[in-house]
Amino acid sequence: MKKNISSQEKDQKIQHITECAEKIFYEKGFEDTSMDYIAMKADVAKGTLYLYFTSKKDLYYAVVLRGLKKLEAMIVQHTQKFKTGFEKTYEMARMYIEFFYSHREYYEFIVEYESHRAKDAEVNPFVRACYKESGKLFEILCAYITQGKEDKSIKESILPQKDSLVFWIQTVGLLQQLYLKEKLYKNMTDITSSEIIERHIEMIASFLKNDSTGQEG
Amino acid sequence: MKKNISSQEKDQKIQHITECAEKIFYEKGFEDTSMDYIAMKADVAKGTLYLYFTSKKDLYYAVVLRGLKKLEAMIVQHTQKFKTGFEKTYEMARMYIEFFYSHREYYEFIVEYESHRAKDAEVNPFVRACYKESGKLFEILCAYITQGKEDKSIKESILPQKDSLVFWIQTVGLLQQLYLKEKLYKNMTDITSSEIIERHIEMIASFLKNDSTGQEG
Amino acid sequence: MKKNISSQEKDQKIQHITECAEKIFYEKGFEDTSMDYIAMKADVAKGTLYLYFTSKKDLYYAVVLRGLKKLEAMIVQHTQKFKTGFEKTYEMARMYIEFFYSHREYYEFIVEYESHRAKDAEVNPFVRACYKESGKLFEILCAYITQGKEDKSIKESILPQKDSLVFWIQTVGLLQQLYLKEKLYKNMTDITSSEIIERHIEMIASFLKNDSTGQEG
Amino acid sequence: MKKNISSQEKDQKIQHITECAEKIFYEKGFEDTSMDYIAMKADVAKGTLYLYFTSKKDLYYAVVLRGLKKLEAMIVQHTQKFKTGFEKTYEMARMYIEFFYSHREYYEFIVEYESHRAKDAEVNPFVRACYKESGKLFEILCAYITQGKEDKSIKESILPQKDSLVFWIQTVGLLQQLYLKEKLYKNMTDITSSEIIERHIEMIASFLKNDSTGQEG
DNA sequence: TATGAATGAGTCTTCATTCAT
DNA sequence: AATGAATGAAGACTCATTCAT
């Protein structure tokens, strides 16, 4: 009868480390975070880190993946309360943004990890998982818009594939900007982040929404 | 009136170093660039670098600032060829995007330096100058939109301050996303960056453009 | 009389571990072999290794000892087929060399463990056993030469103690050299290891052999 | 007028570090020597080590090379005092052995560095230089034996290439054995290293020497 | 007996910064 | 003003050994 720490215990340990690492990476970014510090904060020896993660990058991507999964869960759960494609699309955007406010720490990763792109993408399983996760999110959005056209809540002229991608990128980019340059934008005007986001959503909604619903019927 | 290396000579030296550093930072990014290497490429001693820049970051921000200034020059020069506020606004967006394609190296900085934001912002004069430079650009956009409302090329309902900020951020964010996540987006669909940008500009234009020009007057 | 893992079972375990370790040490050398890897390959827990061996070095010397014992067995078995002291001596040399070709892995140890010499010699029982084992081998050689003088197959002028030691050391050294510096020697000339060994044996044989057997008496 | 520490000063520094490293490598061997310790003993910062040597191995091979060069110098200088090929050959062997006694520290390297062979051989300039240096030594020996055959001081039957290689390897191997296993051999008999060496040289000399000199003329 | 998770000292290496010249 | 040798703190990662179970 081996000692074999139960898979459960092991998962707890992994989660514990990931959580600690998350906070630190969030505060300091990848480069300015040392394995020593993570170990200290997680209250384990440095070697233990390497027991569960093969490298610093590995641990980092594990954290990113965790954020993406939480995001997906939130979105899926929330949007299923709504009916029309327009509503679902609209709520998904809201949700994504909501996530930005309530989990800024994940957003940090989602933003930053991209700079480690390319090279790692092919080899690291965590990176691959991250890409896959992002893909899922996009497919959901795309599906909602398609549905919206079918149920007439979204304009006929909208191109689901292309426009969902444009909205997606605009929104991600906008949030990233607000996140990164809060300070800069504060210096420019006295308009708040919330106002900017609202206006952004308004623009998208007005572009999507089918106002002539039922008229022709 | 002896050796007194003329202020001119000094400026030349600074410019020379900045140019060399720029190329290297572009290729390798901040973390992967060493002062040793910059010194070697600039053909000066490492100590000389510290004669003109107080730290590696200082030199980095000097490079960023240089990029921003070039960008501003390009935009100002180009937009003055156009008349209406709408055209100027539209061309400014085009110009910004054009810059993205023709000077990816500066864009790299504009994107990357943001990650060092905050902490340095208050203290480093170069960072302050960068912020100021960005502010200028925004003010130009804002002025164009205002002008557009006056000359009726832009809708009455547009809010110059707020909407220019939204467009600005959307555009910067979109480009940043395309830059950082090219690979990711390529995996998602087969729509090209150009197509995304075009659609983005279309959306903004359609939101801004006053189609009822003069009609009701 | 309960669990009492029989001494036999214990010995089997020790042997199993030693065998596994042997292969690995051979392939990778002492420094590049980790206890983790040995444990994995032996299919036991790392802790188990320390149950039977007090340290990595201990395990290493156990492996060396094993090699020496095999060598001794081979030599003893082979030489008893021959009669005269000269033949026995000659065959012992041949055997030692044969061992070198057919069990390079043991040779590796015999060579390498020497570098850890001295320090460990006094304390480690395995090291002591190794020394003792080597002593046995030498005594056998010495006895053969003595016998050779008695049976007139070996020259009268040979000094059994001293010359057996010289031959012994020459041969061990020669093989070690060939083993370590194959590459180097290959660069120097195009003479093969076999040729060198043959010539070496010829020299020794010519030095030992009594050609005037009984003739002049 | 640059500061440019004169090439001389630089060489002194390199020599100083090499000397310190030599002692330590000698005492502890490659693996058990740390760059930290070398730096401490050399009274420089660790970084300084890397200013002059690209890696630990590099420094190590630099030390080995130094030993080989000293050895060559000693041999060349000494043997030129002698006339016949036999004498030169004989004195070269003596000299090599003498070196063994007076510079045991170099011998350690000459012996040990072989274990790092192969892999580094192609890339590291120091390793290449070591190989080259060893080659020189062998060629000298070979030339002496050839000369000996010409001047009739060495037997006609000797094969310069092959036999010089055999002697060379025997001698190197013998010394290595004495060096490594002093302790072991001391346990076996009470014959001293000197006696063993003397007998070894006797054997070689008797094999080489042409006793029938001039007889037939 | 056997396990294997945990440890943490120790390794090589890098590089921004300083300072004597 | 310019140099570049010297520094040493900091980094990621390894692995023999221990010990609670």
Side-chain angles (χ1 to χ4, degrees):
Chain A
M1 198 167 297
K2 320 264 176 111
K3 219 289 265 346
N4 232 340
I5 257 195
S6 66
S7 199
Q8 204 200 97
E9 272 178 87
K10 187 175 167 176
D11 283 357
Q12 267 175 29
K13 201 107 206 180
I14 288 180
Q15 194 181 328
H16 170 67
I17 290 172
T18 316
E19 269 166 20
C20 293
E22 178 186 299
K23 281 179 209 131
I24 301 164
F25 278 131
Y26 165 53
E27 264 179 62
K28 300 168 175 282
F30 181 80
E31 297 283 359
D32 293 343
T33 294
S34 76
M35 292 300 265
D36 264 289
Y37 192 69
I38 294 173
M40 193 197 82
K41 284 295 183 187
D43 215 34
V44 296
K46 207 188 328 188
T48 308
L49 261 32
Y50 287 89
L51 218 53
Y52 297 104
F53 303 93
T54 61
S55 69
K56 187 184 172 187
K57 276 225 171 117
D58 213 56
L59 175 50
Y60 183 73
Y61 290 127
V63 168
V64 175
L65 182 57
R66 201 160 169 261
L68 283 168
K69 284 196 165 154
K70 275 203 185 169
L71 173 57
E72 196 205 342
M74 270 180 69
I75 286 176
V76 166
Q77 192 215 330
H78 180 75
T79 51
Q80 67 193 180
K81 297 179 206 151
F82 297 87
K83 296 281 162 50
T84 70
F86 175 80
E87 280 169 330
K88 279 175 184 286
T89 305
Y90 185 84
E91 291 300 326
M92 180 168 176
R94 284 238 162 274
M95 213 53 213
Y96 189 88
I97 284 157
E98 168 67 20
F99 185 82
F100 167 65
Y101 276 107
S102 56
H103 294 83
R104 292 181 70 103
E105 70 279 13
Y106 292 113
Y107 204 80
E108 166 80 5
F109 301 128
I110 295 168
V111 165
E112 198 191 287
Y113 92 100
E114 296 304 335
S115 52
H116 302 285
R117 280 157 325 193
K119 329 168 200 174
D120 307 316
E122 268 94 36
V123 282
N124 189 307
F126 278 115
V127 176
R128 273 220 281 266
C130 287
Y131 270 59
K132 205 171 141 192
E133 202 58 43
S134 295
K136 267 193 218 169
L137 242 24
F138 170 69
E139 275 162 27
I140 293 173
L141 174 60
C142 202
Y144 288 164
I145 292 183
T146 304
Q147 185 202 320
K149 285 182 69 177
E150 283 163 10
D151 64 26
K152 307 288 183 200
S153 60
I154 284 178
K155 277 184 197 158
E156 194 58 40
S157 62
I158 295 300
L159 312 166
Q161 277 277 329
K162 183 187 272 190
D163 289 341
S164 63
L165 191 56
V166 173
F167 295 147
W168 175 263
I169 294 176
Q170 276 179 340
T171 305
V172 173
L174 184 108
L175 289 176
Q176 192 172 114
Q177 283 299 305
L178 289 177
Y179 179 78
L180 290 174
K181 305 195 186 165
E182 237 172 6
K183 204 156 190 170
L184 171 59
Y185 296 131
K186 237 166 226 157
N187 285 347
M188 285 179 178
T189 70
D190 49 5
I191 297 165
T192 67
S193 292
S194 304
E195 288 176 289
I196 291 165
I197 289 170
E198 283 308 316
R199 188 71 170 171
H200 169 71
I201 292 195
E202 254 177 65
M203 281 179 59
I204 291 181
S206 90
F207 193 77
L208 281 179
K209 199 166 193 180
N210 191 358
D211 292 320
S212 59
T213 326
Q215 253 133 295
E216 69 201 305
Chain B
M1 202 183 286
K2 292 194 108 184
K3 230 293 266 344
N4 224 342
I5 259 197
S6 66
S7 197
Q8 204 201 94
E9 273 179 83
K10 186 175 167 175
D11 283 357
Q12 268 176 26
K13 201 114 204 177
I14 288 180
Q15 192 181 329
H16 171 67
I17 291 171
T18 315
E19 269 166 20
C20 293
E22 177 186 298
K23 281 180 209 131
I24 300 164
F25 278 131
Y26 165 53
E27 265 180 62
K28 299 168 177 281
F30 181 80
E31 297 284 357
D32 292 344
T33 295
S34 75
M35 293 298 265
D36 262 289
Y37 193 68
I38 296 174
M40 191 197 82
K41 284 294 181 187
D43 214 35
V44 296
K46 214 189 325 188
T48 309
L49 259 33
Y50 286 88
L51 219 54
Y52 296 104
F53 303 94
T54 63
S55 71
K56 188 185 172 187
K57 277 227 169 116
D58 211 58
L59 174 51
Y60 184 73
Y61 290 128
V63 168
V64 175
L65 181 56
R66 203 159 167 262
L68 284 168
K69 283 192 167 158
K70 274 203 188 170
L71 174 57
E72 195 204 343
M74 268 180 70
I75 286 175
V76 167
Q77 194 215 329
H78 180 75
T79 52
Q80 69 192 179
K81 297 180 206 150
F82 298 87
K83 296 282 161 50
T84 71
F86 175 80
E87 281 169 329
K88 280 175 184 285
T89 304
Y90 185 84
E91 291 299 325
M92 180 168 176
R94 284 237 161 275
M95 212 54 212
Y96 188 87
I97 284 158
E98 168 68 17
F99 185 81
F100 167 65
Y101 277 107
S102 56
H103 292 82
R104 289 182 73 104
E105 70 277 14
Y106 292 113
Y107 204 80
E108 166 82 5
F109 300 130
I110 294 169
V111 165
E112 198 190 287
Y113 92 101
E114 296 305 335
S115 54
H116 302 286
R117 100 233 96 140
K119 332 168 199 176
D120 309 314
E122 265 95 36
V123 283
N124 189 308
F126 277 113
V127 176
R128 274 221 281 268
C130 287
Y131 271 56
K132 205 171 142 192
E133 200 59 41
S134 294
K136 268 194 216 169
L137 240 26
F138 169 69
E139 275 162 26
I140 293 173
L141 174 61
C142 200
Y144 287 164
I145 292 183
T146 304
Q147 185 202 323
K149 285 183 69 178
E150 283 162 12
D151 65 26
K152 305 288 182 199
S153 59
I154 285 176
K155 278 183 196 157
E156 193 59 39
S157 62
I158 295 301
L159 312 165
Q161 276 277 330
K162 182 186 275 190
D163 289 340
S164 63
L165 191 56
V166 173
F167 296 146
W168 175 261
I169 295 176
Q170 275 179 342
T171 305
V172 173
L174 184 107
L175 289 176
Q176 194 172 112
Q177 282 298 305
L178 290 178
Y179 178 79
L180 290 175
K181 305 195 188 166
E182 240 170 4
K183 197 158 190 170
L184 172 60
Y185 294 132
K186 237 167 226 157
N187 284 347
M188 286 180 178
T189 72
D190 49 4
I191 298 164
T192 67
S193 293
S194 303
E195 288 176 290
I196 291 165
I197 290 171
E198 282 309 314
R199 188 71 169 172
H200 169 71
I201 293 197
E202 253 177 66
M203 280 179 60
I204 292 182
S206 90
F207 193 77
L208 281 179
K209 200 167 192 179
N210 190 359
D211 292 320
S212 59
T213 327
Q215 256 132 293
E216 68 198 305
Chain C
M1 202 182 287
K2 295 193 103 186
K3 235 290 274 333
N4 223 343
I5 258 193
S6 65
S7 197
Q8 203 201 98
E9 273 179 81
K10 187 174 166 176
D11 283 357
Q12 266 176 29
K13 201 114 203 177
I14 288 180
Q15 193 181 330
H16 171 67
I17 291 172
T18 316
E19 268 167 20
C20 293
E22 177 185 299
K23 281 181 208 129
I24 301 163
F25 277 132
Y26 165 52
E27 263 181 63
K28 301 168 176 281
F30 181 80
E31 297 285 355
D32 293 342
T33 294
S34 74
M35 293 299 265
D36 262 288
Y37 192 68
I38 294 173
M40 193 198 80
K41 284 295 182 186
D43 215 36
V44 296
K46 214 186 331 184
T48 308
L49 261 32
Y50 286 88
L51 220 53
Y52 296 105
F53 303 93
T54 62
S55 71
K56 188 185 173 187
K57 277 228 170 117
D58 212 56
L59 175 50
Y60 184 74
Y61 289 128
V63 167
V64 175
L65 181 57
R66 203 161 167 260
L68 284 169
K69 284 192 167 159
K70 275 203 187 170
L71 174 56
E72 196 205 341
M74 269 180 70
I75 286 176
V76 167
Q77 193 215 327
H78 181 74
T79 52
Q80 66 193 183
K81 298 180 207 151
F82 298 87
K83 296 280 162 50
T84 71
F86 175 79
E87 279 168 331
K88 280 175 185 283
T89 305
Y90 186 84
E91 291 300 324
M92 180 167 176
R94 284 239 162 273
M95 212 54 213
Y96 188 87
I97 284 157
E98 169 67 18
F99 186 82
F100 167 66
Y101 277 107
S102 57
H103 293 84
R104 289 181 75 102
E105 69 279 15
Y106 291 113
Y107 204 80
E108 167 81 4
F109 301 130
I110 294 169
V111 166
E112 198 190 288
Y113 93 102
E114 297 304 336
S115 53
H116 301 290
R117 114 228 83 143
K119 329 168 201 176
D120 309 314
E122 266 94 36
V123 284
N124 190 308
F126 277 115
V127 175
R128 274 221 281 267
C130 287
Y131 271 56
K132 206 171 139 191
E133 201 58 43
S134 295
K136 268 195 218 168
L137 241 25
F138 169 68
E139 275 161 27
I140 292 172
L141 174 60
C142 202
Y144 287 164
I145 292 183
T146 304
Q147 186 202 320
K149 284 183 70 178
E150 283 164 9
D151 64 25
K152 304 290 182 200
S153 60
I154 285 177
K155 276 184 198 158
E156 194 56 42
S157 62
I158 296 300
L159 312 165
Q161 277 277 328
K162 182 185 273 190
D163 289 341
S164 64
L165 191 56
V166 173
F167 295 146
W168 177 262
I169 295 176
Q170 275 179 340
T171 306
V172 173
L174 184 107
L175 290 175
Q176 193 173 110
Q177 282 300 305
L178 290 177
Y179 179 77
L180 290 175
K181 305 196 186 165
E182 239 171 5
K183 200 160 189 168
L184 173 59
Y185 294 133
K186 236 166 226 156
N187 284 348
M188 286 180 178
T189 71
D190 49 4
I191 298 165
T192 67
S193 293
S194 303
E195 288 176 289
I196 291 165
I197 289 171
E198 283 309 314
R199 187 73 169 169
H200 170 69
I201 292 196
E202 253 177 67
M203 280 179 61
I204 291 181
S206 90
F207 194 76
L208 281 179
K209 199 166 192 180
N210 190 359
D211 291 320
S212 59
T213 330
Q215 258 133 290
E216 68 195 307
Chain D
M1 198 167 297
K2 320 265 177 107
K3 219 292 262 352
N4 230 341
I5 256 193
S6 66
S7 199
Q8 204 201 98
E9 271 178 86
K10 188 175 167 176
D11 283 356
Q12 268 175 28
K13 201 108 205 177
I14 287 180
Q15 194 181 329
H16 170 67
I17 292 172
T18 315
E19 270 166 19
C20 293
E22 178 187 297
K23 281 180 209 133
I24 301 163
F25 278 132
Y26 165 54
E27 264 179 62
K28 298 168 177 283
F30 180 81
E31 297 283 359
D32 293 343
T33 294
S34 76
M35 292 299 264
D36 263 289
Y37 192 69
I38 294 173
M40 194 198 82
K41 283 297 182 186
D43 214 36
V44 296
K46 210 191 322 192
T48 308
L49 259 33
Y50 286 89
L51 219 53
Y52 296 104
F53 303 93
T54 61
S55 69
K56 189 185 172 186
K57 276 230 170 113
D58 214 56
L59 175 49
Y60 183 74
Y61 290 128
V63 168
V64 175
L65 182 57
R66 201 161 168 259
L68 283 169
K69 283 196 166 154
K70 275 203 186 169
L71 173 58
E72 195 205 344
M74 269 181 69
I75 285 176
V76 167
Q77 193 215 329
H78 181 75
T79 51
Q80 68 193 180
K81 296 179 206 149
F82 297 87
K83 297 279 162 51
T84 71
F86 175 79
E87 280 169 330
K88 280 175 185 283
T89 305
Y90 185 84
E91 291 300 325
M92 181 168 175
R94 284 237 161 275
M95 214 53 212
Y96 189 88
I97 284 158
E98 167 67 19
F99 186 82
F100 167 66
Y101 277 107
S102 57
H103 294 84
R104 291 181 71 103
E105 70 279 14
Y106 291 113
Y107 206 81
E108 166 79 4
F109 300 128
I110 294 168
V111 166
E112 198 191 286
Y113 90 101
E114 297 304 335
S115 52
H116 301 287
R117 270 146 347 179
K119 332 169 199 175
D120 309 316
E122 266 94 38
V123 283
N124 189 307
F126 277 115
V127 176
R128 274 221 281 267
C130 287
Y131 269 59
K132 207 171 140 191
E133 202 58 43
S134 295
K136 267 194 218 168
L137 242 24
F138 170 69
E139 276 162 26
I140 292 174
L141 174 60
C142 201
Y144 288 165
I145 291 183
T146 304
Q147 185 202 321
K149 283 182 69 179
E150 283 162 10
D151 64 26
K152 307 287 183 200
S153 59
I154 285 176
K155 277 184 197 156
E156 193 58 39
S157 62
I158 296 301
L159 312 165
Q161 278 276 331
K162 183 187 272 190
D163 290 340
S164 63
L165 191 56
V166 174
F167 295 147
W168 175 263
I169 296 177
Q170 276 179 342
T171 305
V172 172
L174 183 107
L175 290 175
Q176 195 173 109
Q177 283 300 306
L178 290 177
Y179 179 78
L180 290 174
K181 305 195 187 166
E182 237 173 6
K183 205 156 188 170
L184 172 60
Y185 296 131
K186 238 167 225 157
N187 285 344
M188 286 180 179
T189 71
D190 51 2
I191 297 164
T192 66
S193 293
S194 302
E195 288 177 289
I196 291 165
I197 290 170
E198 282 308 317
R199 188 70 170 173
H200 169 72
I201 292 196
E202 254 176 65
M203 280 178 60
I204 292 182
S206 90
F207 193 77
L208 281 179
K209 200 166 192 182
N210 189 358
D211 292 323
S212 60
T213 327
Q215 254 132 296
E216 66 198 308

